[in-house]
Amino acid sequence: MADAPDKVSDLASAISTLVQPGMSLALGCALEGLIPYAAAHEIIRQKKRDLTLIGPISNICFDQIIAAGLARQVIAAWVGNVSTGIGYSFRRAVEKKKQPQLKVVNHSNFSISLALEAGSRGLPMAVGISPAGSDIVKGNPHFKDLICPHSGKKLLAIKALNPDLTILHVQKADSYGNCRLWGASGISKEAALAAEKVLITCEELVSTKEVRKDPDRTFLAGFCVDAVCPIAWGAHPAPVQGYYGLDNLLYLDYAKATKTRQGAESWLDEWIYNLKDHKAYLEKLGMGRLAALTVQNSRLSTSLEYDW
C-alpha cells in the first residue's frame, strides 16, 4: 500500500484530465442520493461537449448538462426532477424539431442495471425478461430477442454498457481511492466496475489506517479508482446519508426557473457559470441553509468484533 499512488486531486483538475468531449459518463447511479452535482457543475463550467449520459435516475443532474447544450445522447430510465416530475430542458431537447436533436435510448431501471452489471463482468450482453412487451424495446437497438438454448423460452438480450468514466459521490475515501459508501447505493458499484475510469468525490478524506480498521466496509477498492476529490456537500441538493438531507427548495426553484429556455440559461448563469467553483456555490447557498439540512442526531451502527 505504501507504494500505491496518491490519487487526491482538486475537482477542476480531475474533470479537465478525465472528462473529454465525446465521452460516455455514468452519473447518479445511487438513484436519488449521492448524485455528484459538484462534478456535474464543473463539467458544465469547462464546457465538455458531445457527451453521452448514462444512469438510472439522474434527477436534475442530467437536465442541467442538457440545458448547457453538452449532451448528444442519453441512455437512461428517467430524466426529471425528484420534487416536480419532468425535466424541462430534457423535454425541450427531445422535442426539438431541428438538428441536433438529443438522442435518447430508453431503459427501465432494472434493464440499465443489468446492462451495467454485464459490462462490469466483461460480458457483451445481459439476459433478462424485463422490459419485454413494453414500448421501451420497440425499435431499441439495445434490446434483441433471444431464445434460451436450455428452456426454449423467449428472452431479451440486453446490450452491455461500459462507460468511459463513472463519477461517484461517497461519504469517505482515502488518498488511494479506497472508499466507503453506505445507505442506498443503487448500481454504483456495477457502474464503477463497468467503466474504463472512475472519479470519486467524497465528503471526507480519511486515512488508510481508518479504512484498514474495518475493511469489510470498503465499497470500492482503490485500484479501481483514478482520482479522488474531497469536496464537502458535493452531492447537494441530493441527500447523503449521515451528512445532510435533500434540499427540496432548490428542486422546486429549479423547476420554476427552467420552464423556459431563457429561464434555464439564467439559472445556469446564476448557479454555475458565475460561480468560480463549488466553494462559491456553497457561499451562495449560505451557512444557515446548509445547517438546516445537516444531520443533527448521530445513529451509530452496531460495533463488530473481528478477533479470533
Side-chain angles (χ1 to χ4, degrees), residues 18 37 40 58 103 126 129-130 136 139 147 162 172 185 190 220 230 237 257 262 269 283 287 293:
L18 294 176
Y37 279 107
S58 67
K103 181 180 178 182
I129 298 175
S130 172
I136 290 176
I147 302 300
N162 291 100
K172 296 182 178 183
S185 62
E190 291 84 350
L220 192 66
Q262 293 76 15
D269 284 340
E283 290 173 351
M287 292 306 298
L293 296 170

Side-chain angles (χ1 to χ4, degrees), residues 240-256:
V240 174
Q241 187 168 329
Y243 289 79
Y244 47 88
L246 181 144
D247 191 343
N248 190 57
L249 180 62
L250 191 141
Y251 287 106
L252 295 175
D253 289 345
Y254 179 83
K256 292 177 184 177

Side-chain angles (χ1 to χ4, degrees), residues 37-293:
Y37 279 107
H41 290 175
E42 188 58 35
I43 288 170
I44 293 171
R45 286 190 194 95
Q46 296 190 22
K47 298 182 179 179
K48 303 288 188 174
R49 300 184 182 278
D50 202 31
L51 301 175
T52 292
L53 306 177
I54 300 171
I57 298 177
S58 67
N59 218 317
I60 59 174
C61 177
F62 281 11
D63 198 67
Q64 292 169 14
I65 296 172
I66 293 165
L70 304 178
R72 67 173 177 84
Q73 182 175 219
V74 170
I75 304 173
W78 183 75
V79 179
N81 185 319
V82 68
S83 297
T84 64
I86 191 67
Y88 293 114
S89 296
F90 169 71
R91 181 171 185 171
R92 280 191 293 271
V94 171
E95 294 179 347
K96 187 177 181 180
K97 301 301 181 182
K98 297 180 180 179
Q99 296 296 327
Q101 188 177 35
L102 182 69
K103 181 180 178 182
V104 177
V105 178
N106 286 312
H107 269 271
S108 69
N109 280 328
F110 186 50
S111 68
I112 202 166
S113 301
L114 292 175
L116 285 166
E117 183 178 11
S120 74
R121 295 175 180 270
L123 299 173
M125 67 176 186
V127 177
I129 298 175
S130 172
S134 73
D135 286 346
I136 290 176
V137 303
K138 291 182 178 179
N140 192 328
H142 283 228
F143 299 91
K144 301 290 184 183
D145 290 334
L146 175 70
I147 302 300
C148 175
H150 299 291
S151 67
K153 291 183 178 180
K154 185 177 179 181
L155 304 172
L156 279 178
I158 305 167
K159 183 180 178 181
L161 288 171
N162 291 100
D164 293 318
L165 176 69
T166 289
I167 304 177
L168 301 181
H169 188 74
V170 303
Q171 283 94 339
K172 296 182 178 183
D174 71 7
S175 61
Y176 303 118
N178 300 299
C179 55
R180 289 180 174 175
L181 182 161
W182 60 90
S185 62
I187 52 174
S188 297
K189 183 171 290 186
E190 291 84 350
L193 296 178
E196 181 69 24
K197 294 186 177 181
V198 176
L199 168 60
I200 295 294
T201 60
C202 62
E203 290 294 320
E204 290 186 67
L205 190 68
V206 298
S207 69
T208 303
K209 182 178 180 180
E210 179 178 333
V211 173
R212 285 177 168 176
K213 284 181 180 179
D214 202 349
D216 286 351
R217 295 187 185 185
T218 300
F219 179 79
L220 192 66
F223 61 79
C224 300
V225 175
D226 294 272
V228 177
C229 301
I231 187 154
W233 295 90
H236 179 275
V240 174
Q241 187 168 329
Y243 289 79
Y244 47 88
L246 181 144
D247 191 343
N248 190 57
L249 180 62
L250 191 141
Y251 287 106
L252 295 175
D253 289 345
Y254 179 83
K256 292 177 184 177
T258 58
K259 285 184 177 180
T260 66
R261 182 180 301 279
Q262 293 76 15
E265 291 172 353
S266 295
W267 192 94
L268 291 175
D269 284 340
E270 180 180 0
W271 286 98
I272 300 179
Y273 291 129
N274 292 341
L275 301 177
K276 179 182 178 182
D277 52 23
H278 189 65
K279 181 180 178 182
Y281 172 85
L282 297 180
E283 290 173 351
K284 180 174 173 61
L285 286 168
M287 292 306 298
R289 182 168 179 172
L290 297 178
L293 296 170

